[in-house]
Amino acid sequence: MSHISRQIHLLRYPSGLPSPSDFTLAEVALPPLSDGEVEVSNQWLSVDPYMRGRMSLAKSYVPPFALNSALDGGAVGTVVASRHPDFAIGDKVSSMQGWRDRFIAPGAALTRLPASSLPPQRFLGALGMPGMTAWVGLHKIARLQAGETVLVSAASGAVGSMVVQLAKLAGARVIGSTGSADKVAALEALGIDGVINYKTTQDLAGELARLAPEGIHVYFENVGGAMLEAALDHMVVNGRIVMCGLIDQYNGAGQGGPGNLSQIIRKRLTMQGLIVFDHWQHYGDFLAEVTPAFEQGQLQASETVYEGLAQAPAAFIGLFEGRNTGKMLIKLD
């Protein structure tokens, strides 16, 4: 008997900030299982800023989403039928077959979740791509050393909140920027050394000078715009900038490049872009290091959860309106 898959489809490529009318909820009949295939019922879906880049025909490191088809995204679900020898009914798996409640895929498209006492959705956030991004940026690109000062923008987001905690765990002094009093409080609860509320601060450069009088060794960039310009002025000689994201520009409304790029030359700065999938061979090392820290209570995971598949577009738009603290997730029935 075939099952129905409820899916979020993209109707058009948005101009500027996406709107709910750019998406639709569709129902698609699934075909019978073939040899080597698995049917999965999703319980958790990931919502990520990078998905905005795929809602455009502009050339990028990943192809654009196809219109009138289910959007791909990270997901965690349970195997409900299998014709693959490596997967049994009841197995918990992760995949990139998100933004739908049920799907059929080859076994190669699935990853069995590691045995853990932690909630399964953790492998979409702090123990998934966002956490891995933070770990790679700090340890593989920036080569963070104990005693250094780290600045991270969008510090209360899924990646940023992990940067804060992993940097503190490594013995760094950490400063973050965020956009609300509640998010400032959440970061202070994580033990951050200083926070800038960029929506209420009139002088970013002055705040950075106050919070990091000896300069910034590592800047973990998630936003761009005015914060990048201020950070460049306060980097130490031979400082490192990890370019993870520029969410300020994703919807076409952000500022142009900073006017002080000459600081890169004057201070001999290193600025490197980060695409986490280039480093996925280290994922096992990341899990081996970070999972015990969660199990022992050394690290915390913040989540913002929307209920129901139909809420996926609203959750996605909410990323660009600052509605999430930590990882943005969809919980399915």
Side-chain angles (χ1 to χ4, degrees), residues 51-71:
M51 299 174 76
R52 179 61 183 87
R54 298 191 66 187
M55 296 177 186
S56 165
L57 291 175
K59 187 175 181 179
S60 183
Y61 62 94
V62 285
F65 288 125
L67 298 180
N68 302 301
S69 297
L71 296 173

Side-chain angles (χ1 to χ4, degrees), residues 17 37 114 211 232:
L17 181 68
E37 291 186 331
L211 293 171
L232 284 168

Side-chain angles (χ1 to χ4, degrees), residues 42-46 74-76 120-121 124 305 329-332:
N42 280 331
Q43 279 86 52
W44 292 93
L45 309 180
S46 180
V76 163
Q121 72 270 23
L124 293 176
V305 179
L329 294 163
I330 304 296
K331 186 178 187 298
L332 301 185

Side-chain angles (χ1 to χ4, degrees), residues 11 23 35 50 64 66 86 94 120 193 249 260 292 311:
L11 294 176
F23 307 87
D35 288 342
Y50 83 88
D86 295 339
S94 62
D193 296 288
Q249 300 177 12
N260 59 345
Q311 292 299 308

